[in-house]
Amino acid sequence: MTTYLYIGSSTENQDVDQQAERLAEVYPYDIIVREPNADPGAKPKLDRLLKRLRSGDRLIVKDVSRLGRSITQAARVAKDLKSRNVMLVVDNLEPLCNPTLSVFTLIECAAQMDRDLLKDRQAIGIAKARAAGKYKGRKAIPAKLVKKAQELIAKGMKRKDVASTLSIGESTLYKYLALARQKET
């Protein structure tokens, strides 16, 4: 079992030395990984560290923002670590709740609920628009395009390449090929 302290900052205003001193004072550790003034969107040292962590290891960070740019991203990291049996300690959450992953689980549930509610509201809005005759969905792709796709596939071209060549999504191609097969039978 190895314990890693991850110390990072995304601005020059954040003091990595102060973070390191605080964590080293409170937690026993084997390795400190420092990533000062990293680009906010990229944390290469953290990415490498996350890949290196093994079952039984421990990762200690000063606060949630060290794990990602959003709470959803941080929750995803926490979930991954939990699935790999890596213990995560977030220093500023420890006094509130132990284990820290409980907090992430709660946040992740709230985020999922928010997505579900958004989808429900969207479905209700689409149903109302359809009932009022205002929503007709996407326009169908032309029959000529489906015919061209069938010809290219018959010549041995892969469906993925056909979709790319015709500038349509793969799932759209599969959908229209299935509809064409149904019409033929």
Short mmCIF file of all heavy atoms in Angstrom, two decimals, residues 118-182:
data_model
loop_
_atom_site.label_atom_id
_atom_site.label_comp_id
_atom_site.label_asym_id
_atom_site.label_seq_id
_atom_site.Cartn_x
_atom_site.Cartn_y
_atom_site.Cartn_z
N LEU A 118 -34.17 16.86 -16.10
CA LEU A 118 -34.03 17.62 -17.34
C LEU A 118 -34.61 16.84 -18.52
O LEU A 118 -35.35 17.38 -19.34
CB LEU A 118 -32.56 17.96 -17.60
CG LEU A 118 -32.26 18.71 -18.89
CD1 LEU A 118 -32.86 20.11 -18.83
CD2 LEU A 118 -30.77 18.78 -19.12
N LYS A 119 -34.30 15.55 -18.59
CA LYS A 119 -34.84 14.70 -19.67
C LYS A 119 -36.36 14.62 -19.60
O LYS A 119 -37.04 14.65 -20.62
CB LYS A 119 -34.22 13.31 -19.61
CG LYS A 119 -32.80 13.26 -20.10
CD LYS A 119 -32.27 11.83 -20.04
CE LYS A 119 -30.84 11.77 -20.51
NZ LYS A 119 -30.31 10.41 -20.45
N ASP A 120 -36.89 14.50 -18.38
CA ASP A 120 -38.35 14.45 -18.21
C ASP A 120 -38.99 15.74 -18.69
O ASP A 120 -39.99 15.71 -19.41
CB ASP A 120 -38.72 14.21 -16.75
CG ASP A 120 -38.44 12.79 -16.29
OD1 ASP A 120 -38.19 11.92 -17.15
OD2 ASP A 120 -38.45 12.56 -15.06
N ARG A 121 -38.43 16.88 -18.28
CA ARG A 121 -38.98 18.17 -18.71
C ARG A 121 -38.90 18.33 -20.23
O ARG A 121 -39.81 18.85 -20.87
CB ARG A 121 -38.25 19.32 -18.02
CG ARG A 121 -38.59 19.44 -16.54
CD ARG A 121 -38.04 20.73 -15.93
NE ARG A 121 -36.59 20.83 -16.01
CZ ARG A 121 -35.75 20.44 -15.07
NH1 ARG A 121 -36.20 19.92 -13.96
NH2 ARG A 121 -34.45 20.57 -15.24
N GLN A 122 -37.79 17.84 -20.80
CA GLN A 122 -37.62 17.92 -22.25
C GLN A 122 -38.68 17.07 -22.95
O GLN A 122 -39.29 17.50 -23.92
CB GLN A 122 -36.22 17.46 -22.63
CG GLN A 122 -35.92 17.57 -24.10
CD GLN A 122 -34.51 17.09 -24.44
OE1 GLN A 122 -33.94 16.28 -23.73
NE2 GLN A 122 -33.97 17.59 -25.51
N ALA A 123 -38.91 15.85 -22.45
CA ALA A 123 -39.90 14.95 -23.05
C ALA A 123 -41.30 15.57 -22.96
O ALA A 123 -42.09 15.48 -23.92
CB ALA A 123 -39.86 13.59 -22.36
N ILE A 124 -41.62 16.20 -21.84
CA ILE A 124 -42.93 16.85 -21.67
C ILE A 124 -43.07 17.99 -22.68
O ILE A 124 -44.10 18.13 -23.34
CB ILE A 124 -43.11 17.35 -20.23
CG1 ILE A 124 -43.26 16.16 -19.28
CG2 ILE A 124 -44.30 18.30 -20.12
CD1 ILE A 124 -43.14 16.52 -17.80
N GLY A 125 -42.02 18.78 -22.83
CA GLY A 125 -42.05 19.89 -23.78
C GLY A 125 -42.22 19.41 -25.22
O GLY A 125 -42.99 19.99 -25.99
N ILE A 126 -41.53 18.34 -25.57
CA ILE A 126 -41.64 17.80 -26.94
C ILE A 126 -43.05 17.25 -27.16
O ILE A 126 -43.65 17.48 -28.22
CB ILE A 126 -40.57 16.71 -27.18
CG1 ILE A 126 -39.18 17.36 -27.27
CG2 ILE A 126 -40.87 15.91 -28.44
CD1 ILE A 126 -38.03 16.37 -27.31
N ALA A 127 -43.61 16.57 -26.17
CA ALA A 127 -44.97 16.03 -26.30
C ALA A 127 -45.97 17.15 -26.51
O ALA A 127 -46.88 17.04 -27.36
CB ALA A 127 -45.32 15.20 -25.07
N LYS A 128 -45.83 18.24 -25.75
CA LYS A 128 -46.73 19.39 -25.91
C LYS A 128 -46.59 20.00 -27.30
O LYS A 128 -47.57 20.36 -27.94
CB LYS A 128 -46.45 20.44 -24.84
CG LYS A 128 -46.98 20.10 -23.48
CD LYS A 128 -46.67 21.23 -22.49
CE LYS A 128 -47.21 20.92 -21.11
NZ LYS A 128 -46.87 22.00 -20.16
N ALA A 129 -45.35 20.15 -27.75
CA ALA A 129 -45.10 20.74 -29.07
C ALA A 129 -45.67 19.85 -30.18
O ALA A 129 -46.25 20.35 -31.15
CB ALA A 129 -43.61 20.97 -29.28
N ARG A 130 -45.52 18.54 -30.03
CA ARG A 130 -46.09 17.62 -31.03
C ARG A 130 -47.61 17.74 -31.06
O ARG A 130 -48.21 17.75 -32.13
CB ARG A 130 -45.69 16.18 -30.70
CG ARG A 130 -44.37 15.80 -31.23
CD ARG A 130 -44.17 14.29 -31.23
NE ARG A 130 -42.88 13.98 -31.79
CZ ARG A 130 -41.95 13.27 -31.19
NH1 ARG A 130 -42.18 12.72 -30.02
NH2 ARG A 130 -40.80 13.05 -31.77
N ALA A 131 -48.21 17.77 -29.86
CA ALA A 131 -49.67 17.89 -29.78
C ALA A 131 -50.17 19.17 -30.44
O ALA A 131 -51.24 19.20 -31.04
CB ALA A 131 -50.13 17.83 -28.33
N ALA A 132 -49.36 20.23 -30.36
CA ALA A 132 -49.72 21.51 -30.96
C ALA A 132 -49.31 21.57 -32.44
O ALA A 132 -49.54 22.57 -33.10
CB ALA A 132 -49.09 22.66 -30.19
N GLY A 133 -48.67 20.52 -32.93
CA GLY A 133 -48.24 20.48 -34.33
C GLY A 133 -47.01 21.31 -34.62
O GLY A 133 -46.71 21.60 -35.77
N LYS A 134 -46.27 21.68 -33.59
CA LYS A 134 -45.09 22.53 -33.77
C LYS A 134 -43.79 21.74 -33.83
O LYS A 134 -42.78 22.27 -34.24
CB LYS A 134 -45.00 23.56 -32.64
CG LYS A 134 -46.15 24.53 -32.63
CD LYS A 134 -46.03 25.50 -31.49
CE LYS A 134 -47.21 26.46 -31.48
NZ LYS A 134 -47.14 27.37 -30.36
N TYR A 135 -43.82 20.50 -33.40
CA TYR A 135 -42.59 19.70 -33.37
C TYR A 135 -42.78 18.50 -34.28
O TYR A 135 -43.66 17.68 -34.08
CB TYR A 135 -42.31 19.22 -31.94
CG TYR A 135 -41.01 18.44 -31.82
CD1 TYR A 135 -39.81 19.08 -31.59
CD2 TYR A 135 -41.00 17.04 -31.92
CE1 TYR A 135 -38.62 18.38 -31.48
CE2 TYR A 135 -39.82 16.34 -31.80
CZ TYR A 135 -38.64 17.00 -31.58
OH TYR A 135 -37.47 16.29 -31.46
N LYS A 136 -41.95 18.43 -35.26
CA LYS A 136 -42.07 17.34 -36.21
C LYS A 136 -40.85 16.42 -36.19
O LYS A 136 -40.79 15.44 -36.90
CB LYS A 136 -42.25 17.92 -37.61
CG LYS A 136 -43.37 18.94 -37.69
CD LYS A 136 -44.26 18.68 -38.85
CE LYS A 136 -45.32 19.70 -39.10
NZ LYS A 136 -46.04 20.27 -38.04
N GLY A 137 -39.86 16.78 -35.39
CA GLY A 137 -38.64 15.98 -35.34
C GLY A 137 -37.69 16.39 -36.46
O GLY A 137 -37.92 17.35 -37.19
N ARG A 138 -36.63 15.64 -36.59
CA ARG A 138 -35.67 15.94 -37.65
C ARG A 138 -36.22 15.53 -39.00
O ARG A 138 -36.98 14.56 -39.11
CB ARG A 138 -34.37 15.18 -37.41
CG ARG A 138 -33.60 15.69 -36.25
CD ARG A 138 -32.27 14.99 -36.18
NE ARG A 138 -31.55 15.47 -35.00
CZ ARG A 138 -30.43 14.96 -34.58
NH1 ARG A 138 -29.88 13.96 -35.21
NH2 ARG A 138 -29.84 15.45 -33.51
N LYS A 139 -35.78 16.21 -40.04
CA LYS A 139 -36.18 15.84 -41.39
C LYS A 139 -35.49 14.54 -41.77
O LYS A 139 -34.33 14.31 -41.41
CB LYS A 139 -35.78 16.93 -42.38
CG LYS A 139 -36.56 18.21 -42.22
CD LYS A 139 -36.16 19.23 -43.28
CE LYS A 139 -36.94 20.50 -43.08
NZ LYS A 139 -36.58 21.52 -44.06
N ALA A 140 -36.19 13.71 -42.48
CA ALA A 140 -35.63 12.43 -42.93
C ALA A 140 -34.53 12.71 -43.95
O ALA A 140 -34.56 13.70 -44.68
CB ALA A 140 -36.72 11.58 -43.55
N ILE A 141 -33.57 11.79 -44.00
CA ILE A 141 -32.53 11.95 -45.03
C ILE A 141 -33.13 11.50 -46.36
O ILE A 141 -34.01 10.63 -46.39
CB ILE A 141 -31.24 11.18 -44.69
CG1 ILE A 141 -31.45 9.69 -44.61
CG2 ILE A 141 -30.63 11.70 -43.40
CD1 ILE A 141 -30.17 8.89 -44.44
N PRO A 142 -32.68 12.08 -47.45
CA PRO A 142 -33.26 11.76 -48.76
C PRO A 142 -33.09 10.28 -49.12
O PRO A 142 -32.09 9.64 -48.78
CB PRO A 142 -32.46 12.63 -49.74
CG PRO A 142 -31.82 13.68 -48.90
CD PRO A 142 -31.65 13.10 -47.54
N ALA A 143 -34.07 9.75 -49.84
CA ALA A 143 -34.04 8.35 -50.27
C ALA A 143 -32.82 8.08 -51.14
O ALA A 143 -32.25 6.98 -51.10
CB ALA A 143 -35.32 8.00 -51.01
N LYS A 144 -32.39 9.08 -51.92
CA LYS A 144 -31.21 8.93 -52.77
C LYS A 144 -29.96 8.64 -51.93
O LYS A 144 -29.10 7.87 -52.34
CB LYS A 144 -30.97 10.20 -53.60
CG LYS A 144 -31.96 10.43 -54.70
CD LYS A 144 -31.63 11.72 -55.44
CE LYS A 144 -32.65 12.01 -56.51
NZ LYS A 144 -32.36 13.27 -57.22
N LEU A 145 -29.89 9.28 -50.77
CA LEU A 145 -28.75 9.08 -49.88
C LEU A 145 -28.73 7.66 -49.31
O LEU A 145 -27.67 7.03 -49.22
CB LEU A 145 -28.79 10.11 -48.74
CG LEU A 145 -27.49 10.39 -48.00
CD1 LEU A 145 -26.42 10.92 -48.94
CD2 LEU A 145 -27.72 11.39 -46.88
N VAL A 146 -29.91 7.15 -48.98
CA VAL A 146 -30.01 5.78 -48.47
C VAL A 146 -29.61 4.80 -49.58
O VAL A 146 -28.87 3.85 -49.33
CB VAL A 146 -31.44 5.47 -47.96
CG1 VAL A 146 -31.57 4.02 -47.53
CG2 VAL A 146 -31.81 6.41 -46.81
N LYS A 147 -30.07 5.07 -50.79
CA LYS A 147 -29.73 4.23 -51.94
C LYS A 147 -28.23 4.23 -52.18
O LYS A 147 -27.62 3.18 -52.41
CB LYS A 147 -30.48 4.76 -53.18
CG LYS A 147 -30.40 3.89 -54.37
CD LYS A 147 -31.49 2.86 -54.29
CE LYS A 147 -31.60 2.18 -55.64
NZ LYS A 147 -32.16 0.85 -55.49
N LYS A 148 -27.61 5.41 -52.10
CA LYS A 148 -26.16 5.53 -52.28
C LYS A 148 -25.43 4.74 -51.20
O LYS A 148 -24.44 4.05 -51.49
CB LYS A 148 -25.77 7.02 -52.23
CG LYS A 148 -24.30 7.27 -52.40
CD LYS A 148 -23.84 6.99 -53.82
CE LYS A 148 -22.38 7.39 -53.97
NZ LYS A 148 -21.82 6.94 -55.22
N ALA A 149 -25.92 4.81 -49.96
CA ALA A 149 -25.31 4.07 -48.86
C ALA A 149 -25.38 2.56 -49.13
O ALA A 149 -24.40 1.84 -48.93
CB ALA A 149 -26.00 4.41 -47.55
N GLN A 150 -26.52 2.10 -49.58
CA GLN A 150 -26.69 0.67 -49.88
C GLN A 150 -25.72 0.23 -50.99
O GLN A 150 -25.14 -0.85 -50.93
CB GLN A 150 -28.14 0.37 -50.30
CG GLN A 150 -29.11 0.46 -49.15
CD GLN A 150 -30.56 0.36 -49.59
OE1 GLN A 150 -30.94 0.87 -50.65
NE2 GLN A 150 -31.38 -0.29 -48.76
N GLU A 151 -25.54 1.09 -51.98
CA GLU A 151 -24.63 0.77 -53.09
C GLU A 151 -23.18 0.67 -52.58
O GLU A 151 -22.44 -0.25 -52.95
CB GLU A 151 -24.72 1.84 -54.19
CG GLU A 151 -26.02 1.82 -54.95
CD GLU A 151 -26.18 3.04 -55.87
OE1 GLU A 151 -25.23 3.86 -55.98
OE2 GLU A 151 -27.28 3.18 -56.44
N LEU A 152 -22.77 1.61 -51.75
CA LEU A 152 -21.41 1.61 -51.22
C LEU A 152 -21.16 0.38 -50.34
O LEU A 152 -20.08 -0.23 -50.40
CB LEU A 152 -21.13 2.89 -50.44
CG LEU A 152 -21.07 4.18 -51.26
CD1 LEU A 152 -20.99 5.40 -50.35
CD2 LEU A 152 -19.88 4.15 -52.21
N ILE A 153 -22.15 0.01 -49.54
CA ILE A 153 -22.02 -1.18 -48.69
C ILE A 153 -21.94 -2.43 -49.56
O ILE A 153 -21.15 -3.34 -49.28
CB ILE A 153 -23.19 -1.25 -47.68
CG1 ILE A 153 -23.04 -0.12 -46.66
CG2 ILE A 153 -23.23 -2.61 -46.98
CD1 ILE A 153 -24.25 0.10 -45.78
N ALA A 154 -22.75 -2.48 -50.62
CA ALA A 154 -22.74 -3.63 -51.54
C ALA A 154 -21.37 -3.78 -52.22
O ALA A 154 -20.94 -4.89 -52.54
CB ALA A 154 -23.84 -3.48 -52.59
N LYS A 155 -20.67 -2.67 -52.41
CA LYS A 155 -19.34 -2.70 -53.01
C LYS A 155 -18.25 -3.10 -52.01
O LYS A 155 -17.09 -3.20 -52.36
CB LYS A 155 -18.99 -1.34 -53.62
CG LYS A 155 -19.80 -1.00 -54.85
CD LYS A 155 -19.40 0.37 -55.39
CE LYS A 155 -20.23 0.73 -56.60
NZ LYS A 155 -19.90 2.06 -57.11
N GLY A 156 -18.66 -3.28 -50.73
CA GLY A 156 -17.70 -3.74 -49.72
C GLY A 156 -17.19 -2.67 -48.78
O GLY A 156 -16.32 -2.94 -47.95
N MET A 157 -17.71 -1.48 -48.87
CA MET A 157 -17.26 -0.41 -47.97
C MET A 157 -17.87 -0.63 -46.58
O MET A 157 -19.02 -1.04 -46.45
CB MET A 157 -17.71 0.95 -48.53
CG MET A 157 -17.13 2.14 -47.81
SD MET A 157 -17.71 3.68 -48.59
CE MET A 157 -16.17 4.50 -48.87
N LYS A 158 -17.08 -0.37 -45.55
CA LYS A 158 -17.56 -0.52 -44.18
C LYS A 158 -18.61 0.55 -43.88
O LYS A 158 -18.51 1.67 -44.36
CB LYS A 158 -16.41 -0.40 -43.18
CG LYS A 158 -15.43 -1.53 -43.27
CD LYS A 158 -14.34 -1.36 -42.24
CE LYS A 158 -13.34 -2.50 -42.35
NZ LYS A 158 -12.24 -2.36 -41.39
N ARG A 159 -19.57 0.17 -43.05
CA ARG A 159 -20.67 1.09 -42.74
C ARG A 159 -20.17 2.38 -42.08
O ARG A 159 -20.69 3.45 -42.35
CB ARG A 159 -21.70 0.39 -41.85
CG ARG A 159 -22.42 -0.70 -42.61
CD ARG A 159 -23.33 -1.51 -41.72
NE ARG A 159 -23.81 -2.65 -42.48
CZ ARG A 159 -25.05 -3.09 -42.45
NH1 ARG A 159 -25.92 -2.52 -41.65
NH2 ARG A 159 -25.41 -4.11 -43.19
N LYS A 160 -19.16 2.24 -41.24
CA LYS A 160 -18.60 3.42 -40.57
C LYS A 160 -18.04 4.39 -41.62
O LYS A 160 -18.26 5.60 -41.54
CB LYS A 160 -17.49 2.97 -39.62
CG LYS A 160 -16.85 4.08 -38.85
CD LYS A 160 -15.79 3.52 -37.90
CE LYS A 160 -15.19 4.64 -37.08
NZ LYS A 160 -14.22 4.14 -36.09
N ASP A 161 -17.35 3.84 -42.62
CA ASP A 161 -16.78 4.67 -43.68
C ASP A 161 -17.87 5.27 -44.57
O ASP A 161 -17.74 6.41 -45.04
CB ASP A 161 -15.79 3.86 -44.52
CG ASP A 161 -14.59 3.39 -43.71
OD1 ASP A 161 -14.24 4.09 -42.73
OD2 ASP A 161 -14.02 2.34 -44.04
N VAL A 162 -18.94 4.49 -44.79
CA VAL A 162 -20.06 4.99 -45.59
C VAL A 162 -20.69 6.20 -44.89
O VAL A 162 -20.93 7.23 -45.52
CB VAL A 162 -21.12 3.88 -45.82
CG1 VAL A 162 -22.39 4.46 -46.43
CG2 VAL A 162 -20.55 2.77 -46.70
N ALA A 163 -20.91 6.06 -43.60
CA ALA A 163 -21.50 7.17 -42.83
C ALA A 163 -20.62 8.41 -42.92
O ALA A 163 -21.11 9.53 -43.13
CB ALA A 163 -21.70 6.75 -41.38
N SER A 164 -19.32 8.22 -42.78
CA SER A 164 -18.38 9.33 -42.85
C SER A 164 -18.39 9.97 -44.24
O SER A 164 -18.42 11.19 -44.37
CB SER A 164 -16.97 8.85 -42.49
OG SER A 164 -16.05 9.89 -42.58
N THR A 165 -18.38 9.14 -45.26
CA THR A 165 -18.37 9.62 -46.65
C THR A 165 -19.62 10.44 -46.97
O THR A 165 -19.56 11.47 -47.63
CB THR A 165 -18.28 8.43 -47.63
OG1 THR A 165 -17.09 7.71 -47.36
CG2 THR A 165 -18.28 8.89 -49.08
N LEU A 166 -20.77 9.97 -46.45
CA LEU A 166 -22.04 10.64 -46.74
C LEU A 166 -22.37 11.74 -45.73
O LEU A 166 -23.44 12.35 -45.80
CB LEU A 166 -23.17 9.62 -46.81
CG LEU A 166 -23.01 8.54 -47.89
CD1 LEU A 166 -24.14 7.52 -47.79
CD2 LEU A 166 -22.95 9.15 -49.28
N SER A 167 -21.47 11.97 -44.77
CA SER A 167 -21.65 13.00 -43.75
C SER A 167 -22.93 12.83 -42.92
O SER A 167 -23.69 13.77 -42.70
CB SER A 167 -21.64 14.40 -44.37
OG SER A 167 -20.41 14.63 -45.01
N ILE A 168 -23.16 11.59 -42.51
CA ILE A 168 -24.27 11.31 -41.60
C ILE A 168 -23.75 10.48 -40.45
O ILE A 168 -22.69 9.84 -40.55
CB ILE A 168 -25.44 10.57 -42.31
CG1 ILE A 168 -24.98 9.23 -42.92
CG2 ILE A 168 -26.10 11.44 -43.35
CD1 ILE A 168 -26.10 8.40 -43.52
N GLY A 169 -24.45 10.48 -39.35
CA GLY A 169 -24.05 9.70 -38.19
C GLY A 169 -24.21 8.21 -38.44
O GLY A 169 -25.08 7.78 -39.22
N GLU A 170 -23.38 7.42 -37.78
CA GLU A 170 -23.47 5.97 -37.92
C GLU A 170 -24.84 5.45 -37.50
O GLU A 170 -25.43 4.60 -38.18
CB GLU A 170 -22.40 5.27 -37.09
CG GLU A 170 -21.04 5.25 -37.73
CD GLU A 170 -20.06 4.47 -36.89
OE1 GLU A 170 -20.19 3.22 -36.83
OE2 GLU A 170 -19.17 5.10 -36.30
N SER A 171 -25.33 5.93 -36.37
CA SER A 171 -26.63 5.44 -35.89
C SER A 171 -27.74 5.82 -36.86
O SER A 171 -28.68 5.05 -37.08
CB SER A 171 -26.93 5.97 -34.49
OG SER A 171 -26.94 7.38 -34.49
N THR A 172 -27.63 6.99 -37.49
CA THR A 172 -28.61 7.40 -38.49
C THR A 172 -28.56 6.46 -39.68
O THR A 172 -29.60 6.02 -40.20
CB THR A 172 -28.34 8.85 -38.94
OG1 THR A 172 -28.38 9.70 -37.80
CG2 THR A 172 -29.35 9.31 -39.98
N LEU A 173 -27.35 6.11 -40.11
CA LEU A 173 -27.20 5.18 -41.23
C LEU A 173 -27.85 3.84 -40.91
O LEU A 173 -28.63 3.31 -41.70
CB LEU A 173 -25.71 4.98 -41.56
CG LEU A 173 -25.41 3.93 -42.64
CD1 LEU A 173 -26.01 4.33 -43.98
CD2 LEU A 173 -23.92 3.71 -42.76
N TYR A 174 -27.56 3.30 -39.73
CA TYR A 174 -28.13 2.00 -39.34
C TYR A 174 -29.66 2.08 -39.30
O TYR A 174 -30.35 1.17 -39.73
CB TYR A 174 -27.59 1.57 -37.97
CG TYR A 174 -26.20 1.00 -38.04
CD1 TYR A 174 -25.11 1.75 -37.65
CD2 TYR A 174 -25.99 -0.30 -38.49
CE1 TYR A 174 -23.82 1.23 -37.71
CE2 TYR A 174 -24.70 -0.83 -38.55
CZ TYR A 174 -23.63 -0.06 -38.17
OH TYR A 174 -22.36 -0.58 -38.23
N LYS A 175 -30.17 3.17 -38.78
CA LYS A 175 -31.62 3.35 -38.68
C LYS A 175 -32.27 3.31 -40.07
O LYS A 175 -33.24 2.59 -40.29
CB LYS A 175 -31.93 4.69 -37.99
CG LYS A 175 -33.39 5.07 -37.96
CD LYS A 175 -33.55 6.45 -37.35
CE LYS A 175 -34.93 7.01 -37.59
NZ LYS A 175 -35.06 8.38 -37.08
N TYR A 176 -31.70 4.07 -41.01
CA TYR A 176 -32.32 4.13 -42.34
C TYR A 176 -32.11 2.86 -43.15
O TYR A 176 -32.95 2.49 -43.95
CB TYR A 176 -31.83 5.38 -43.09
CG TYR A 176 -32.56 6.61 -42.63
CD1 TYR A 176 -32.04 7.43 -41.64
CD2 TYR A 176 -33.82 6.92 -43.13
CE1 TYR A 176 -32.73 8.54 -41.19
CE2 TYR A 176 -34.53 8.03 -42.67
CZ TYR A 176 -33.98 8.82 -41.71
OH TYR A 176 -34.68 9.92 -41.26
N LEU A 177 -31.00 2.17 -42.92
CA LEU A 177 -30.81 0.88 -43.58
C LEU A 177 -31.83 -0.14 -43.07
O LEU A 177 -32.38 -0.93 -43.86
CB LEU A 177 -29.38 0.35 -43.36
CG LEU A 177 -28.27 1.13 -44.08
CD1 LEU A 177 -26.90 0.61 -43.64
CD2 LEU A 177 -28.43 1.05 -45.58
N ALA A 178 -32.11 -0.11 -41.78
CA ALA A 178 -33.10 -1.02 -41.18
C ALA A 178 -34.50 -0.69 -41.74
O ALA A 178 -35.26 -1.61 -42.07
CB ALA A 178 -33.09 -0.93 -39.67
N LEU A 179 -34.82 0.59 -41.84
CA LEU A 179 -36.12 0.99 -42.40
C LEU A 179 -36.25 0.54 -43.86
O LEU A 179 -37.32 0.09 -44.28
CB LEU A 179 -36.31 2.51 -42.30
CG LEU A 179 -36.56 3.09 -40.91
CD1 LEU A 179 -36.52 4.60 -40.94
CD2 LEU A 179 -37.88 2.60 -40.36
N ALA A 180 -35.16 0.66 -44.61
CA ALA A 180 -35.19 0.23 -46.02
C ALA A 180 -35.40 -1.28 -46.11
O ALA A 180 -36.14 -1.75 -46.98
CB ALA A 180 -33.87 0.63 -46.70
N ARG A 181 -34.77 -2.06 -45.22
CA ARG A 181 -34.95 -3.52 -45.21
C ARG A 181 -36.39 -3.87 -44.88
O ARG A 181 -36.98 -4.80 -45.45
CB ARG A 181 -34.00 -4.19 -44.22
CG ARG A 181 -32.60 -4.39 -44.76
CD ARG A 181 -31.78 -5.32 -43.88
NE ARG A 181 -31.64 -4.84 -42.51
CZ ARG A 181 -30.68 -3.99 -42.11
NH1 ARG A 181 -29.78 -3.56 -42.95
NH2 ARG A 181 -30.63 -3.61 -40.86
N GLN A 182 -37.00 -3.14 -43.94
CA GLN A 182 -38.38 -3.40 -43.56
C GLN A 182 -39.33 -3.14 -44.73
O GLN A 182 -40.30 -3.86 -44.94
CB GLN A 182 -38.79 -2.53 -42.38
CG GLN A 182 -38.25 -2.99 -41.05
CD GLN A 182 -38.63 -2.06 -39.91
OE1 GLN A 182 -39.22 -0.99 -40.13
NE2 GLN A 182 -38.30 -2.46 -38.70
#
